Every structure is written in structure tokens, then in C-alpha cells.
Amino acid sequence: MKPSNASSLPPRLPFLSQVLQRIKARENAAHQTTKVSQQTVRYTTVGLSYRGFWTSEGRPSQRGIVLDVLAALDWIQFSYGEARIILWGQSIGAGVASVTAARHLRSTLDSQTPEQGSGSDKFNISGMILETPFTSMGDMLVALYPQRWLPYRYLKPFLRSRWDSRAALKEIAQLKTHSVAVGKKTGGDGLKILILQAGRDELVPREHGIELQNLGASLGLDVRRKEIGGALHTEAMMRDEGRRVVADFLVEVAGAKE
């Protein structure tokens, strides 16, 4: 779980708990209905406060944050083995999720020989939740300052952090295609992506999520988009519908066949 740029992790924790409670209630209801013992999936939430956020020291930068997430992924793989990982980021955190997934996939492929494809080097990100995402920081400059007489929109070349989800999705698709061509197994062929948008988002234009969905579909990625009606930028998970959509997605990814 990766928070947005204007928030630390603690305010998000209640929503994460409510999603897990919903999944647990569904499992209990299914057990009561069928009276048959079913295999229980264990869901574990790892919340990351990268450098400069909450109690973490240092100053945030795109390079540093990506390194923090990669370190967290290494820890998860060491602690949980072949667990299926779902990256979930909100707002700028959605950019963190997509950019890091592309970086992790590239690192996995670079470290493998054609005969490899399992073990600690396996690309084990099975899903991504991009909550209220934007296409890139540069595009957000234009969205926030559309007036051509303002200087801000012309500062894109000087951005220190770009968080380009558009480029990240393209790289993920290209790397998956390359891995097949050279006979490498990434374990990421079944990667599922959920774009969760706020119906009344006052910051990120609706077109950003639509563009990412259309781009993913054109690249052959398994991507779907859901708008939470009436929700502002930070309210998607405050709505029951938002929590239901995320819970459904988690259950789907957890139960997907490899």
C-alpha cells in the first residue's frame, strides 16, 4: 500500500481494515451456506511509508522511493515466499506502483537466464490497484494550470519526479513480450490491473483514467476501470462501493490460476 503525496499511511489504515473485514465476512457467509470446509486464503497488508513520509527519515525523490518499494518487495519475497503481491497506490502512489512494477519486472528479466523463471527472482506482482491515478506528473501540470499564459505548464522538462504511468504500462507490456520472445518466464503473465476513479475527482481529470485503461487494453494488458460515483479525489475508499470493488478484485487475483 502506497499513500498519496499529501498523506501518510495512518489515515488509510481504517479503509484497508474494512476491505479485509469484507473479504472475511464473505468467506464466513460462503462457509455457512455450503457447510463445506474451504481453503482459506490469507491476506496480509504491508503498508509502506517511504522516505520522507510519516516517521521515515530522508527526503522523497522518485529514485529513492522506487528503491524503497523494491526493498519492500525483497522483504515480502523473503518473508512470504511465493505469495501473490498486489501493489496498491493512491494518487501519486498509483504512479509509484506502476513505475515500480515496471522496474521490478525489468530487474527480474535482467537477472534470469532463459532456463530460470521460479524462485526468489520470479516476478510475483499479480495485480495492481491504481486508485485515482494520473497519467504523469507532466500531464498534471497542464491539468492544474491550463492557462497558456501561466509558466507552470512549461516546466515539464525540469520535473525531478515524473511518475509516468503511461510509460510504465508500455514498458510492462514490452518487457512481457520480450520475455516470451527470448524464452524467459516472468510469472507476470497474469498481471491484473484495476483503475479505481473518483466520480467527482476535483484534482485528476477523468480522461487520465480512461486513457490508461484504453492504453492497457491496446497493449494486451488485463486492465479494468471502475468509477465510484460522487466520490472526490480522496473519497473513493470512503464509499462502500469503493471498498466492495477492491475486495472483489483482491479475491479475484488471489483465486486466479497461474
Side-chain angles (χ1 to χ4, degrees):
M1 178 63 203
K2 297 158 187 62
S4 66
N5 64 318
S7 174
S8 291
L9 186 62
R12 300 279 296 176
L13 294 179
F15 305 132
L16 305 182
S17 177
Q18 290 164 8
V19 168
L20 296 180
Q21 290 172 7
R22 178 183 286 271
I23 294 175
K24 183 63 175 179
R26 179 185 304 180
E27 292 177 343
N28 291 338
H31 175 68
Q32 292 295 326
T33 300
T34 62
K35 301 298 183 181
V36 176
S37 178
Q38 299 179 347
Q39 183 177 3
T40 300
V41 177
R42 179 182 178 184
Y43 295 87
T44 301
T45 301
V46 177
L48 175 62
S49 287
Y50 23 69
R51 63 190 68 193
F53 284 75
W54 198 17
T55 59
S56 298
E57 298 179 351
R59 297 181 61 184
S61 66
Q62 178 161 330
R63 180 179 181 276
I65 289 175
V66 168
L67 291 175
D68 291 343
V69 180
L70 292 175
L73 291 174
D74 287 342
W75 179 84
I76 292 171
Q77 288 185 289
F78 176 80
S79 301
Y80 296 96
E82 293 296 322
R84 296 183 179 182
I85 297 175
I86 301 174
L87 295 180
W88 179 1
Q90 191 263 334
S91 191
I92 197 172
V96 176
S98 60
V99 170
T100 304
R103 171 72 178 275
H104 184 58
L105 177 55
R106 177 175 292 279
S107 298
T108 299
L109 292 174
D110 289 344
S111 66
Q112 288 181 1
T113 64
E115 293 75 20
Q116 290 179 318
S118 61
S120 60
D121 288 333
K122 182 178 178 180
F123 179 78
N124 59 347
I125 300 175
S126 301
M128 289 196 299
I129 301 174
L130 308 181
E131 182 184 342
T132 59
F134 48 74
T135 49
S136 71
M137 288 285 285
D139 292 342
M140 280 302 297
L141 272 180
V142 177
L144 294 174
Y145 305 102
Q147 302 89 345
R148 292 186 176 274
W149 52 270
L150 289 175
Y152 306 109
R153 61 185 293 137
Y154 304 106
L155 298 178
K156 289 198 294 184
F158 307 100
L159 286 172
R160 299 178 64 182
S161 297
R162 301 184 181 275
W163 299 122
D164 193 332
S165 288
R166 183 193 295 109
L169 293 183
K170 291 180 180 179
E171 183 175 9
I172 289 172
Q174 291 170 354
L175 290 171
K176 289 175 63 177
T177 300
H178 175 71
S179 70
V180 173
V182 300
K184 293 184 179 182
K185 301 177 181 179
T186 67
D189 295 336
L191 176 68
K192 300 179 183 299
I193 303 172
L194 168 65
I195 297 173
L196 190 66
Q197 287 193 276
R200 294 176 55 208
D201 198 317
E202 74 281 18
L203 293 178
V204 180
R206 180 173 181 265
E207 290 74 20
H208 284 223
I210 295 175
E211 180 180 345
L212 291 176
Q213 179 192 26
N214 292 338
L215 174 62
S218 69
L219 294 171
L221 300 176
D222 184 349
V223 56
R224 76 286 311 262
R225 184 178 63 89
K226 179 66 178 178
E227 284 190 28
I228 307 304
L232 298 177
H233 185 67
T234 60
E235 294 180 346
M237 290 306 297
M238 296 181 184
R239 307 297 177 103
D240 185 73
E241 181 186 10
R243 297 190 292 271
R244 177 186 59 79
V245 170
V246 170
D248 290 346
F249 181 75
L250 295 178
V251 171
E252 176 187 345
V253 174
K257 295 182 179 180
E258 295 184 340

mmCIF file of all heavy atoms in Angstrom, residues 89-119:
data_model
loop_
_atom_site.group_PDB
_atom_site.id
_atom_site.type_symbol
_atom_site.label_atom_id
_atom_site.label_comp_id
_atom_site.label_asym_id
_atom_site.label_seq_id
_atom_site.Cartn_x
_atom_site.Cartn_y
_atom_site.Cartn_z
ATOM 1 N N GLY A 89 -1.717 1.702 -4.944
ATOM 2 C CA GLY A 89 -1.288 3.071 -4.713
ATOM 3 C C GLY A 89 -2.397 4.044 -5.018
ATOM 4 O O GLY A 89 -3.194 3.833 -5.946
ATOM 5 N N GLN A 90 -2.465 5.122 -4.244
ATOM 6 C CA GLN A 90 -3.499 6.137 -4.433
ATOM 7 C C GLN A 90 -2.864 7.455 -4.883
ATOM 8 O O GLN A 90 -1.845 7.881 -4.333
ATOM 9 C CB GLN A 90 -4.284 6.342 -3.131
ATOM 10 C CG GLN A 90 -5.538 7.180 -3.278
ATOM 11 C CD GLN A 90 -5.346 8.648 -2.901
ATOM 12 O OE1 GLN A 90 -4.475 8.967 -2.108
ATOM 13 N NE2 GLN A 90 -6.151 9.518 -3.485
ATOM 14 N N SER A 91 -3.459 8.083 -5.899
ATOM 15 C CA SER A 91 -2.987 9.354 -6.430
ATOM 16 C C SER A 91 -1.542 9.218 -6.928
ATOM 17 O O SER A 91 -1.265 8.386 -7.784
ATOM 18 C CB SER A 91 -3.116 10.455 -5.364
ATOM 19 O OG SER A 91 -2.903 11.728 -5.924
ATOM 20 N N ILE A 92 -0.607 9.949 -6.375
ATOM 21 C CA ILE A 92 0.781 9.800 -6.810
ATOM 22 C C ILE A 92 1.301 8.400 -6.480
ATOM 23 O O ILE A 92 2.197 7.882 -7.157
ATOM 24 C CB ILE A 92 1.673 10.884 -6.170
ATOM 25 C CG1 ILE A 92 2.992 11.002 -6.933
ATOM 26 C CG2 ILE A 92 1.920 10.615 -4.706
ATOM 27 C CD1 ILE A 92 3.838 12.179 -6.496
ATOM 28 N N GLY A 93 0.702 7.773 -5.472
ATOM 29 C CA GLY A 93 1.076 6.404 -5.134
ATOM 30 C C GLY A 93 0.754 5.428 -6.244
ATOM 31 O O GLY A 93 1.392 4.376 -6.366
ATOM 32 N N ALA A 94 -0.250 5.751 -7.083
ATOM 33 C CA ALA A 94 -0.542 4.903 -8.236
ATOM 34 C C ALA A 94 0.617 4.946 -9.226
ATOM 35 O O ALA A 94 0.973 3.935 -9.835
ATOM 36 C CB ALA A 94 -1.840 5.364 -8.903
ATOM 37 N N GLY A 95 1.214 6.135 -9.378
ATOM 38 C CA GLY A 95 2.405 6.232 -10.212
ATOM 39 C C GLY A 95 3.564 5.444 -9.632
ATOM 40 O O GLY A 95 4.328 4.804 -10.357
ATOM 41 N N VAL A 96 3.698 5.485 -8.313
ATOM 42 C CA VAL A 96 4.742 4.698 -7.645
ATOM 43 C C VAL A 96 4.541 3.216 -7.944
ATOM 44 O O VAL A 96 5.495 2.487 -8.253
ATOM 45 C CB VAL A 96 4.719 4.946 -6.125
ATOM 46 C CG1 VAL A 96 5.738 4.047 -5.428
ATOM 47 C CG2 VAL A 96 5.012 6.410 -5.814
ATOM 48 N N ALA A 97 3.297 2.756 -7.861
ATOM 49 C CA ALA A 97 3.012 1.338 -8.095
ATOM 50 C C ALA A 97 3.357 0.923 -9.517
ATOM 51 O O ALA A 97 4.038 -0.093 -9.735
ATOM 52 C CB ALA A 97 1.543 1.048 -7.801
ATOM 53 N N SER A 98 2.921 1.684 -10.504
ATOM 54 C CA SER A 98 3.147 1.294 -11.893
ATOM 55 C C SER A 98 4.617 1.393 -12.282
ATOM 56 O O SER A 98 5.164 0.491 -12.930
ATOM 57 C CB SER A 98 2.293 2.159 -12.829
ATOM 58 O OG SER A 98 2.614 3.532 -12.687
ATOM 59 N N VAL A 99 5.276 2.464 -11.873
ATOM 60 C CA VAL A 99 6.691 2.640 -12.206
ATOM 61 C C VAL A 99 7.535 1.557 -11.538
ATOM 62 O O VAL A 99 8.455 0.992 -12.151
ATOM 63 C CB VAL A 99 7.169 4.049 -11.790
ATOM 64 C CG1 VAL A 99 8.687 4.163 -11.893
ATOM 65 C CG2 VAL A 99 6.505 5.105 -12.660
ATOM 66 N N THR A 100 7.227 1.235 -10.278
ATOM 67 C CA THR A 100 7.998 0.217 -9.578
ATOM 68 C C THR A 100 7.755 -1.163 -10.168
ATOM 69 O O THR A 100 8.677 -1.984 -10.254
ATOM 70 C CB THR A 100 7.649 0.208 -8.083
ATOM 71 O OG1 THR A 100 7.854 1.518 -7.539
ATOM 72 C CG2 THR A 100 8.525 -0.783 -7.334
ATOM 73 N N ALA A 101 6.521 -1.443 -10.577
ATOM 74 C CA ALA A 101 6.233 -2.744 -11.197
ATOM 75 C C ALA A 101 7.057 -2.922 -12.459
ATOM 76 O O ALA A 101 7.625 -4.001 -12.706
ATOM 77 C CB ALA A 101 4.742 -2.860 -11.511
ATOM 78 N N ALA A 102 7.156 -1.873 -13.271
ATOM 79 C CA ALA A 102 7.968 -1.955 -14.490
ATOM 80 C C ALA A 102 9.441 -2.166 -14.145
ATOM 81 O O ALA A 102 10.127 -2.987 -14.767
ATOM 82 C CB ALA A 102 7.785 -0.681 -15.320
ATOM 83 N N ARG A 103 9.920 -1.434 -13.149
ATOM 84 C CA ARG A 103 11.321 -1.565 -12.741
ATOM 85 C C ARG A 103 11.597 -2.966 -12.193
ATOM 86 O O ARG A 103 12.642 -3.573 -12.493
ATOM 87 C CB ARG A 103 11.626 -0.505 -11.682
ATOM 88 C CG ARG A 103 12.975 -0.649 -10.994
ATOM 89 C CD ARG A 103 14.149 -0.279 -11.886
ATOM 90 N NE ARG A 103 15.396 -0.396 -11.145
ATOM 91 C CZ ARG A 103 15.899 0.579 -10.370
ATOM 92 N NH1 ARG A 103 15.275 1.744 -10.282
ATOM 93 N NH2 ARG A 103 17.032 0.407 -9.718
ATOM 94 N N HIS A 104 10.665 -3.485 -11.400
ATOM 95 C CA HIS A 104 10.843 -4.820 -10.814
ATOM 96 C C HIS A 104 10.844 -5.895 -11.901
ATOM 97 O O HIS A 104 11.645 -6.835 -11.858
ATOM 98 C CB HIS A 104 9.723 -5.082 -9.806
ATOM 99 C CG HIS A 104 9.851 -6.379 -9.069
ATOM 100 N ND1 HIS A 104 10.950 -6.707 -8.307
ATOM 101 C CD2 HIS A 104 9.011 -7.437 -8.958
ATOM 102 C CE1 HIS A 104 10.792 -7.896 -7.770
ATOM 103 N NE2 HIS A 104 9.624 -8.365 -8.152
ATOM 104 N N LEU A 105 9.971 -5.746 -12.884
ATOM 105 C CA LEU A 105 9.924 -6.714 -13.976
ATOM 106 C C LEU A 105 11.221 -6.675 -14.777
ATOM 107 O O LEU A 105 11.778 -7.717 -15.138
ATOM 108 C CB LEU A 105 8.733 -6.417 -14.884
ATOM 109 C CG LEU A 105 8.573 -7.291 -16.129
ATOM 110 C CD1 LEU A 105 8.536 -8.768 -15.754
ATOM 111 C CD2 LEU A 105 7.304 -6.907 -16.893
ATOM 112 N N ARG A 106 11.724 -5.470 -15.053
ATOM 113 C CA ARG A 106 12.983 -5.367 -15.796
ATOM 114 C C ARG A 106 14.137 -5.998 -15.016
ATOM 115 O O ARG A 106 14.971 -6.715 -15.586
ATOM 116 C CB ARG A 106 13.301 -3.906 -16.106
ATOM 117 C CG ARG A 106 14.630 -3.702 -16.819
ATOM 118 C CD ARG A 106 14.850 -2.255 -17.209
ATOM 119 N NE ARG A 106 13.917 -1.837 -18.248
ATOM 120 C CZ ARG A 106 14.088 -2.105 -19.534
ATOM 121 N NH1 ARG A 106 15.147 -2.808 -19.937
ATOM 122 N NH2 ARG A 106 13.213 -1.676 -20.427
ATOM 123 N N SER A 107 14.198 -5.747 -13.710
ATOM 124 C CA SER A 107 15.261 -6.317 -12.879
ATOM 125 C C SER A 107 15.176 -7.831 -12.861
ATOM 126 O O SER A 107 16.192 -8.528 -12.873
ATOM 127 C CB SER A 107 15.163 -5.766 -11.455
ATOM 128 O OG SER A 107 15.351 -4.364 -11.432
ATOM 129 N N THR A 108 13.942 -8.352 -12.830
ATOM 130 C CA THR A 108 13.757 -9.802 -12.827
ATOM 131 C C THR A 108 14.277 -10.420 -14.109
ATOM 132 O O THR A 108 14.992 -11.424 -14.096
ATOM 133 C CB THR A 108 12.269 -10.142 -12.650
ATOM 134 O OG1 THR A 108 11.806 -9.620 -11.407
ATOM 135 C CG2 THR A 108 12.056 -11.652 -12.647
ATOM 136 N N LEU A 109 13.933 -9.833 -15.231
ATOM 137 C CA LEU A 109 14.372 -10.364 -16.518
ATOM 138 C C LEU A 109 15.882 -10.262 -16.672
ATOM 139 O O LEU A 109 16.528 -11.175 -17.200
ATOM 140 C CB LEU A 109 13.670 -9.628 -17.659
ATOM 141 C CG LEU A 109 12.165 -9.868 -17.784
ATOM 142 C CD1 LEU A 109 11.572 -8.965 -18.856
ATOM 143 C CD2 LEU A 109 11.875 -11.328 -18.097
ATOM 144 N N ASP A 110 16.469 -9.166 -16.214
ATOM 145 C CA ASP A 110 17.908 -8.980 -16.347
ATOM 146 C C ASP A 110 18.695 -9.987 -15.511
ATOM 147 O O ASP A 110 19.839 -10.310 -15.835
ATOM 148 C CB ASP A 110 18.302 -7.564 -15.919
ATOM 149 C CG ASP A 110 17.835 -6.505 -16.909
ATOM 150 O OD1 ASP A 110 17.486 -6.880 -18.045
ATOM 151 O OD2 ASP A 110 17.814 -5.320 -16.543
ATOM 152 N N SER A 111 18.072 -10.475 -14.440
ATOM 153 C CA SER A 111 18.785 -11.380 -13.534
ATOM 154 C C SER A 111 18.604 -12.846 -13.900
ATOM 155 O O SER A 111 19.202 -13.721 -13.277
ATOM 156 C CB SER A 111 18.308 -11.170 -12.089
ATOM 157 O OG SER A 111 16.947 -11.551 -11.945
ATOM 158 N N GLN A 112 17.779 -13.138 -14.920
ATOM 159 C CA GLN A 112 17.484 -14.521 -15.267
ATOM 160 C C GLN A 112 18.256 -14.978 -16.491
ATOM 161 O O GLN A 112 18.619 -14.187 -17.354
ATOM 162 C CB GLN A 112 15.995 -14.702 -15.554
ATOM 163 C CG GLN A 112 15.101 -14.641 -14.335
ATOM 164 C CD GLN A 112 13.653 -14.864 -14.710
ATOM 165 O OE1 GLN A 112 13.324 -15.078 -15.874
ATOM 166 N NE2 GLN A 112 12.786 -14.823 -13.720
ATOM 167 N N THR A 113 18.445 -16.297 -16.540
ATOM 168 C CA THR A 113 18.854 -16.960 -17.767
ATOM 169 C C THR A 113 17.592 -17.544 -18.385
ATOM 170 O O THR A 113 16.570 -17.647 -17.721
ATOM 171 C CB THR A 113 19.859 -18.095 -17.474
ATOM 172 O OG1 THR A 113 19.200 -19.099 -16.690
ATOM 173 C CG2 THR A 113 21.058 -17.556 -16.702
ATOM 174 N N PRO A 114 17.613 -17.940 -19.642
ATOM 175 C CA PRO A 114 16.396 -18.484 -20.262
ATOM 176 C C PRO A 114 15.811 -19.677 -19.521
ATOM 177 O O PRO A 114 14.619 -19.942 -19.619
ATOM 178 C CB PRO A 114 16.876 -18.877 -21.667
ATOM 179 C CG PRO A 114 18.009 -17.953 -21.940
ATOM 180 C CD PRO A 114 18.701 -17.778 -20.617
ATOM 181 N N GLU A 115 16.649 -20.445 -18.791
ATOM 182 C CA GLU A 115 16.158 -21.630 -18.114
ATOM 183 C C GLU A 115 15.481 -21.290 -16.787
ATOM 184 O O GLU A 115 14.801 -22.135 -16.203
ATOM 185 C CB GLU A 115 17.305 -22.613 -17.846
ATOM 186 C CG GLU A 115 17.907 -23.224 -19.113
ATOM 187 C CD GLU A 115 18.790 -22.244 -19.864
ATOM 188 O OE1 GLU A 115 19.239 -21.250 -19.250
ATOM 189 O OE2 GLU A 115 19.018 -22.456 -21.063
ATOM 190 N N GLN A 116 15.663 -20.065 -16.282
ATOM 191 C CA GLN A 116 15.099 -19.701 -14.994
ATOM 192 C C GLN A 116 13.673 -19.191 -15.155
ATOM 193 O O GLN A 116 13.180 -18.986 -16.232
ATOM 194 C CB GLN A 116 15.959 -18.610 -14.332
ATOM 195 C CG GLN A 116 17.321 -19.105 -13.874
ATOM 196 C CD GLN A 116 18.128 -17.974 -13.265
ATOM 197 O OE1 GLN A 116 18.126 -16.871 -13.776
ATOM 198 N NE2 GLN A 116 18.820 -18.268 -12.184
ATOM 199 N N GLY A 117 13.024 -18.999 -14.021
ATOM 200 C CA GLY A 117 11.667 -18.487 -14.053
ATOM 201 C C GLY A 117 10.931 -18.774 -12.778
ATOM 202 O O GLY A 117 9.737 -18.591 -12.682
ATOM 203 N N SER A 118 11.616 -19.268 -11.776
ATOM 204 C CA SER A 118 10.997 -19.525 -10.491
ATOM 205 C C SER A 118 12.006 -19.210 -9.412
ATOM 206 O O SER A 118 13.174 -18.966 -9.670
ATOM 207 C CB SER A 118 10.551 -20.988 -10.387
ATOM 208 O OG SER A 118 11.673 -21.849 -10.512
ATOM 209 N N GLY A 119 11.526 -19.217 -8.175
ATOM 210 C CA GLY A 119 12.410 -18.892 -7.071
ATOM 211 C C GLY A 119 12.309 -17.440 -6.703
ATOM 212 O O GLY A 119 11.387 -16.727 -7.080
#
